[in-house]
């Protein structure tokens, strides 16, 4: 491929996704390539395990939208058997679900919504093709839906969000069936679940509706009341045959938030929050939830937990119906690794057995083996994600898989097959299927079902590997290194340190992590993604070693990793930049105020002042524990000495700042404080505020804008190249820029 000066600039800024034929060389990846990635979602396996349905989400970059269609694939023949079943332009088909006999399936779509609206209805279709038949015509659209296990009923929710009720269609005669209303509850039906025999539906509903509150909002008296009191939710059951409802919980002391059912139909596990508006309405409400067990026949309710400030997983029932289990922090202490707790279901008030304490990681509940002897779960293991097994009788944990990749395995309940979601440094996320759990570790047994991004083979990628180094205190720290495309041993390269968020997270060997690290690698940068102290995947002490001194050890870990790459002769220490979002932004701000070794910094949604951040954010409890365990009002100094703004006069590095306008997690005032300080102190800075009310940038256009502007900032201050121009993003709307993403997902 001949590179003109214009094309070189386009590739360097990570923009143009040009077309390459099979005869052409690979090309560097671009930020537009990231936005043009397609996603296979909602995978559903037929009950005989022979077929799979999924929805493929495809971006329309010019319209700034995504559209979905339904595909089918044989689980025995794999990718070559892939067929597209729906072809509606500019509309969405999603959530395919097989009928009990596998002869047809149902999906939701807005294909007939008036004025290109988003109202969804249900449609029936045969997997061998043909026209889809509309089977619902709900005025305000359809919400969640599911088949009963016996295949007799297709149950769905319909109505406005605050008025939804349950309806059903006779699935044995779906073409001629008329939907029948199952519930006529006085308040809207919320979360619901069918019993395994299909005879009952358990659902949550609020005790009342505040009609005045609803009306005042409609009449534009729409002030937002912080921690506004809302009605309690309680648990009900519907007998499908008689359509009679029965209330199962009524306590004024709690509100039911979620439920799980035992396979034998005898028990309901539910999670409830205390009747306290200042607890129920906050982001950290789960820390105050408790688990309960309901005997359906007798109506007796047993409170299972009483763990202040500890969140438990949903209650899990063993297949043999003898044992209940949940996951929670070790010894029910905050900031500890998760363990599994089990107890015989009949031993009311009995002692819980803690399992998995010998494993230095989080033990959770994915699914049980059929014989109830093993619990399978996923966890991060250094720079990978793996499947592990907990032997319930022996109380031992073993690692089932050992791939240099990100792997997640889940058991399909109806077919019993295992679905593997997988990505590695050269493979965007794909799905595989195996017949039994023993095959998960055997790559040759995997049958590939999806390949949404075959165009990835056209990308020239930097070599990605897990590395480790010694930190200042002698602790071994790990992370990921991506070498520049075309790396030459002995040559020194500019470096980007891409710092992950969380900090309870980790960078793993997946595809194009680190905020688009492969785009930097394609333009001659090395990229280090450090799993610094505070990260998961490296043991409990590694994760919690920052408590009480949030930044110092993580900062030392990051800088030691940088020094290793310089000592190894790979990195030019005079050409380095650092960037991150959320906790990655926090550490970027600490780096800004504690070293001048970097030529450029980009801080996304980062804190600078823990004192003001405490009240501004939607999370208080976790921050207080990270910073020493006290309220700021009891120890301002502890918060202040860990705040980057305290050291702002040390700042010398040109810094770009990004934040979403209504970010609830790290609110905009934190970025405002940093920007004002840098301006007044004469440090070069730019400040981009993106529309939205989420912690991350919600829309694709502004995600690309952030990435392109951020890289231009790095190029300017590290390499002395140009600077950001609006045309750098406007040119992506040229139709030629998106012409290459046309390959079949069955390729």
């Amino acid at each position: 491929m001949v590179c003109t000066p214009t094309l070189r600039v386009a590739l360097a800024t990570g923009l143009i996704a040009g077309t390459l034929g099979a005869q052409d060389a690979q090309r560097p990846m671009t930020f537009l390539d990231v936005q043009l990635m397609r996603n296979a979602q909602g995978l559903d396996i037929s009950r005989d395990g022979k077929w799979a349905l999924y929805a493929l989400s495809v971006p329309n970059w010019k319209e700034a939208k995504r559209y979905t269609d339904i595909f089918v694939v044989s689980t025995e023949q794999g990718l070559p058997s892939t067929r597209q079943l729906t072809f509606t332009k500019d509309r969405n088909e999603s959530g395919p679900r097989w009928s009990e006999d596998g002869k047809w399936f149902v999906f939701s779509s807005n294909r007939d919504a008036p004025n290109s609206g988003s109202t969804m209805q249900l449609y029936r279709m045969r997997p061998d093709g043909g026209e889809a038949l509309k089977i619902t015509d709900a005025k305000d659209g359809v919400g969640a839906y599911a088949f009963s296990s016996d295949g007799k009923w297709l149950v769905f929710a319909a109505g406005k969000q605050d008025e939804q009720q349950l309806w059903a269609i006779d699935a044995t005669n779906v073409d001629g069936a008329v939907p029948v209303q199952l519930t006529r509850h006085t308040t809207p039906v919320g979360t619901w679940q069918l019993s395994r025999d299909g005879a009952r539906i358990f659902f949550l509903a609020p005790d009342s509706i505040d009609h005045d509150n609803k009306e005042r909002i409609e009449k534009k008296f729409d002030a937002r009341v912080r921690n506004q009191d809302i009605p309690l939710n309680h648990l009900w059951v519907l007998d499908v045959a008689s359509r009679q409802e029965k209330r199962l919980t009524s306590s004024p002391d709690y509100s039911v938030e979620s439920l799980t059912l035992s396979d034998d139909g005898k028990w309901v596990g539910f999670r409830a929050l205390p009747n306290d508006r200042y607890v129920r309405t906050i982001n950290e409400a789960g820390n105050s939830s408790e688990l309960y067990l309901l005997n359906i026949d007798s109506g007796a309710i047993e409170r299972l937990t009483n763990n202040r400030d500890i969140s438990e997983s949903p209650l899990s029932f063993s297949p043999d119906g003898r044992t209940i289990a949940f996951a929670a922090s070790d010894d029910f202490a905050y900031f500890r690794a998760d363990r599994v707790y089990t107890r015989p279901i009949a031993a009311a008030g009995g002692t819980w057995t803690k399992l998995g304490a010998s494993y230095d990681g989080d033990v959770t509940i994915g699914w049980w083996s059929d014989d109830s002897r093993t619990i399978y779960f996923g966890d991060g293991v250094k720079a990978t994600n793996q499947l592990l097994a907990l032997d319930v009788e022996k109380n031992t944990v073993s690692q089932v898989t050992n791939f240099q990749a990100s792997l997640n395995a889940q058991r399909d309940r109806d077919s019993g097959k295992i679905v593997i979601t997988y990505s590695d440094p050269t493979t965007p996320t794909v799905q595989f299927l195996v017949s039994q759990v023993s095959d998960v570790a055997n790559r040759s047994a995997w049958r590939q079902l999806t390949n949404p991004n075959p165009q990835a083979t056209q990308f020239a990628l930097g070599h990605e590997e897990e590395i480790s180094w010694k930190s200042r205190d002698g602790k071994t720290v790990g992370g990921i290194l991506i070498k520049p495309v075309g790396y030459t041993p002995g040559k020194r390269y500019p470096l980007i340190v891409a710092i992950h968020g969380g900090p309870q997270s980790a960078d793993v060997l997946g595809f194009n992590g680190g905020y688009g690290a492969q785009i930097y690698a394609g333009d001659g940068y090395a990229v280090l993604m450090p799993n610094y102290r505070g990260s998961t995947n490296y043991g409990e002490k590694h994760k919690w070693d920052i408590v009480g001194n949030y930044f110092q050890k993580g900062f030392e870990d990051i800088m030691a990793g940088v020094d290793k790459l310089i000592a190894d002769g790979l990195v030019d220490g005079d050409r380095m930049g650092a960037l991150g979002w959320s906790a990655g932004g926090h550490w970027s701000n600490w780096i800004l105020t504690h070293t001048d070794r970097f030529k450029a910094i980009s801080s996304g949604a980062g804190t600078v002042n823990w004192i003001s951040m405490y009240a501004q954010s939607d999370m208080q409890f976790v921050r207080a524990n990270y910073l020493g365990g006290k309220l700021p009002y009891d120890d301002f100094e502890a918060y202040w000495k860990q705040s980057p703004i305290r050291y702002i006069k040390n700042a010398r590095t040109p810094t770009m700042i990004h934040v979403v306008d209504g970010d609830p997690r790290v609110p905009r005032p934190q970025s405002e404080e940093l920007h004002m300080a840098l301006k007044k102190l004469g440090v070069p800075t730019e400040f981009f505020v993106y529309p939205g009310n989420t912690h991350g940038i919600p829309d694709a256009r502004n995600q690309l804008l952030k990435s392109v502007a951020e890289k231009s900032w790095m190029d300017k201050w590290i390499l002395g190249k140009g600077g950001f121009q609006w045309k750098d993003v406007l040119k992506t709307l040229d139709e030629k820029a998106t012409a290459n993403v046309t390959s079949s997902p069955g390729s």
Side-chain angles (χ1 to χ4, degrees):
M1 180 175 68
V2 177
C3 266
T4 65
T6 301
L7 183 55
R8 286 195 189 97
V9 171
L11 292 173
T13 54
L15 291 174
I16 302 302
T19 303
L20 289 177
Q23 73 278 10
D24 295 317
Q26 292 178 318
R27 61 170 176 82
M29 194 174 177
T30 72
F31 287 122
L32 185 55
D33 287 323
V34 176
Q35 295 301 329
L36 295 180
M37 286 286 180
R38 300 177 294 189
N39 303 312
Q41 54 198 33
L43 191 75
D44 191 57
I45 310 298
S46 61
R47 298 195 183 191
D48 61 9
K50 294 182 178 180
W51 296 93
L53 292 163
Y54 64 91
L56 184 71
S57 174
V58 178
N60 183 321
W61 179 249
K62 195 165 186 177
E63 294 185 10
K65 295 179 180 179
R66 297 186 75 94
Y67 299 106
T68 55
D69 274 302
I70 306 297
F71 288 72
V72 65
V73 59
S74 164
T75 62
E76 296 173 349
Q77 300 173 33
L79 277 183
S81 66
T82 302
R83 289 184 291 115
Q84 185 171 349
L85 297 178
T86 64
F87 298 85
T88 50
K89 183 180 180 181
D90 301 342
R91 294 301 174 112
N92 288 295
E93 276 80 33
S94 60
R97 296 290 182 269
W98 287 104
S99 64
E100 191 272 341
D101 60 10
K103 293 181 178 179
W104 57 281
F105 65 93
V106 66
F107 64 92
S108 64
S109 176
N110 66 339
R111 56 169 60 189
D112 295 320
N115 303 316
S116 300
S118 59
T119 300
M120 307 294 278
Q121 301 293 344
L122 296 183
Y123 295 78
R124 182 192 73 85
M125 193 174 188
R126 292 178 59 87
D128 56 3
E131 288 298 317
L133 174 68
K134 187 178 182 181
I135 58 176
T136 67
D137 194 21
K139 178 184 176 182
D140 297 298
V142 170
Y145 51 94
F147 284 101
S148 60
S149 293
D150 59 10
K152 294 181 179 179
W153 294 100
L154 171 61
V155 180
F156 62 93
K160 294 180 180 178
Q161 188 65 35
D162 57 352
E163 298 175 359
Q164 282 197 345
Q165 299 294 322
L166 297 181
W167 297 68
I169 295 173
D170 182 353
T172 64
N173 182 32
V174 67
D175 290 348
V178 176
V180 295
Q181 188 168 352
L182 297 180
T183 61
R184 298 183 184 275
H185 204 68
T186 56
T187 62
V189 172
T191 300
W192 57 275
Q193 188 173 339
L194 280 153
S195 63
R196 287 290 283 173
D197 61 8
R200 293 171 292 184
I201 302 174
F202 295 82
F203 66 90
L204 304 182
D207 283 347
S208 61
I209 300 174
D210 189 338
H211 294 285
D212 290 342
N213 184 62
K214 182 178 178 181
E215 183 179 2
R216 66 98 177 173
I217 294 173
E218 293 172 349
K219 297 296 177 61
K220 303 302 180 183
F221 297 101
D222 52 1
R224 291 178 297 163
V225 180
R226 188 63 60 90
N227 303 118
Q228 184 174 1
D229 207 4
I230 53 178
L232 300 178
N233 292 318
H234 276 289
L235 177 62
W236 295 71
V237 63
L238 171 79
D239 180 85
V240 175
S242 67
R243 299 178 201 169
Q244 295 296 308
E245 298 177 8
K246 179 182 178 181
R247 187 178 183 124
L248 298 178
T249 65
S250 57
S251 172
D253 297 327
Y254 58 71
S255 177
V256 182
E257 302 301 318
S258 63
L259 68 133
T260 53
L261 304 178
S262 64
D263 287 348
D264 60 14
K266 297 179 180 180
W267 306 90
V268 180
F270 65 88
R271 180 161 46 187
L273 292 171
N275 183 10
D276 180 340
R277 60 181 284 197
Y278 296 107
V279 171
R280 291 179 58 212
T281 59
I282 65 173
N283 186 62
E284 296 176 297
N287 290 344
S288 299
S289 67
E290 302 296 348
L291 294 178
Y292 296 79
L293 181 66
L294 167 69
N295 184 311
I296 296 173
D297 290 337
S298 69
I301 297 174
E302 179 191 0
R303 180 169 176 170
L304 300 177
T305 63
N306 187 19
N307 303 319
R308 181 177 176 83
D309 300 326
I310 294 297
S311 176
E312 302 90 2
S313 74
L315 195 65
S316 179
F317 298 89
S318 63
D320 62 12
R322 298 177 180 177
T323 305
I324 50 177
F326 65 90
S329 296
D330 198 344
D331 292 336
F332 308 120
Y334 196 67
F335 273 6
R336 294 293 308 277
D338 281 345
R339 303 293 178 235
V340 168
Y341 297 85
T342 65
R343 194 202 76 184
I345 198 168
T351 301
W352 293 91
T353 298
K354 181 173 70 173
L355 302 178
S358 63
Y359 174 66
D360 193 11
D362 290 319
V363 184
T364 55
I365 303 171
W367 77 91
W368 295 76
S369 61
D370 290 337
D371 62 9
S372 300
R373 294 180 177 179
T374 306
I375 295 173
Y376 294 97
F377 65 98
D379 194 30
V381 179
K382 295 186 177 180
T384 68
N385 291 322
Q386 306 293 345
L387 177 67
L388 296 99
L390 170 64
D391 187 307
V392 176
E393 294 180 355
K394 297 179 180 178
N395 190 11
T396 57
V397 172
S398 58
Q399 188 172 321
V400 176
T401 61
N402 187 26
F403 295 102
Q404 293 300 295
S406 174
L407 177 146
N408 176 271
Q410 295 292 333
R411 185 175 187 267
D412 179 69
R413 181 171 180 173
D414 291 327
S415 69
K417 307 295 186 182
I418 309 297
V419 177
I420 300 168
T421 301
Y422 176 92
S423 69
D424 64 31
T426 61
T427 309
T429 300
V430 292
Q431 282 80 33
F432 296 85
L433 194 75
V434 295
S435 297
Q436 53 201 10
V437 71
S438 59
D439 290 335
V440 178
N442 178 12
R443 184 64 187 265
S444 65
W446 297 9
R447 300 184 297 281
Q448 188 169 353
L449 302 183
T450 67
N451 185 29
N453 295 290
Q455 75 278 11
T457 59
Q458 299 175 354
F459 303 148
L461 302 173
H463 176 72
E464 181 174 336
E465 61 186 294
E466 181 179 4
I467 64 171
S468 62
W469 60 90
K470 293 289 186 180
S471 190
R472 182 177 177 179
D473 61 359
K475 173 74 165 60
T476 298
V477 178
I480 292 173
L481 170 66
I482 298 182
K483 294 177 180 177
V485 173
Y487 168 72
T488 301
K491 180 180 177 181
R492 291 188 181 271
Y493 292 88
L495 174 70
I496 296 295
V497 180
I499 309 169
H500 69 71
Q504 294 178 46
S505 180
D507 278 310
V508 298
L509 292 167
F511 186 80
N512 189 39
Y515 313 98
Q518 286 291 355
I519 290 78
Y520 285 91
D523 196 28
Y525 286 91
V527 181
L528 174 65
M529 294 179 276
N531 288 325
Y532 52 91
R533 235 80 64 96
S535 303
T536 58
N537 295 22
Y538 292 83
E540 185 176 34
K541 188 176 189 304
H542 188 89
K543 182 165 62 173
W544 303 128
D545 216 11
I546 63 173
V547 173
N549 190 3
Y550 188 85
F551 287 114
Q552 189 59 35
K553 289 183 179 179
F555 171 69
E556 292 172 357
D557 295 345
I558 293 167
M559 298 309 298
V562 170
D563 289 338
K564 170 185 168 52
L565 297 180
I566 295 172
D568 288 348
L570 193 149
V571 163
D572 180 350
D574 292 326
R575 294 188 295 163
M576 303 191 302
L579 55 87
W581 190 274
S582 192
H586 305 343
W587 258 273
S588 295
N589 293 341
W590 192 259
I591 288 170
L592 168 67
T593 56
H594 285 76
T595 182
D596 61 0
R597 292 178 59 186
F598 293 90
K599 291 294 187 288
I601 288 173
S602 179
S603 171
T607 191
V608 292
N609 186 339
W610 289 115
I611 295 174
S612 56
M613 171 83 155
Y614 181 83
Q616 293 167 358
S617 176
D618 63 354
M619 299 182 73
Q620 284 76 43
F621 190 71
V622 66
R623 302 200 194 287
N625 279 272
Y626 267 129
L627 299 174
K630 295 182 180 179
L631 296 174
Y633 323 114
D634 294 326
D635 193 352
F636 280 120
E637 181 57 26
Y639 285 68
W640 184 237
K641 72 180 181 181
Q642 298 178 75
S643 296
I645 199 74
R646 176 177 178 174
Y647 313 96
I648 195 63
K649 284 196 172 183
N650 296 331
R652 300 289 184 272
T653 308
T655 300
M656 191 174 198
I657 305 166
H658 311 264
V659 73
V660 175
D661 191 23
D663 186 340
R665 189 66 36 79
V666 186
R668 194 185 77 184
Q670 291 296 306
S671 295
E672 298 278 7
E673 285 191 47
L674 177 60
H675 183 239
M676 179 61 71
L678 294 179
K679 281 199 306 180
K680 295 301 182 182
L681 294 173
V683 178
T685 184
E686 288 285 358
F687 184 22
F688 280 29
V689 180
Y690 305 92
N693 296 289
T694 54
H695 184 42
I697 300 172
D699 65 293
R701 290 274 175 87
N702 280 310
Q703 290 169 6
L704 180 123
L705 170 59
K706 183 261 185 184
S707 296
V708 172
E710 182 172 63
K711 185 173 184 298
S712 294
W713 186 261
M714 296 292 157
D715 291 344
K716 175 182 178 179
W717 294 102
I718 298 172
L719 305 180
K721 295 165 58 174
F724 175 70
Q725 302 291 328
W726 294 116
K727 65 182 179 182
D728 294 339
V729 292
L730 293 173
K731 68 177 69 174
T732 66
L733 301 179
D734 185 333
E735 290 185 3
K736 294 180 181 179
T738 60
N740 72 318
V741 188
T742 56
S743 302
S744 166
S747 300

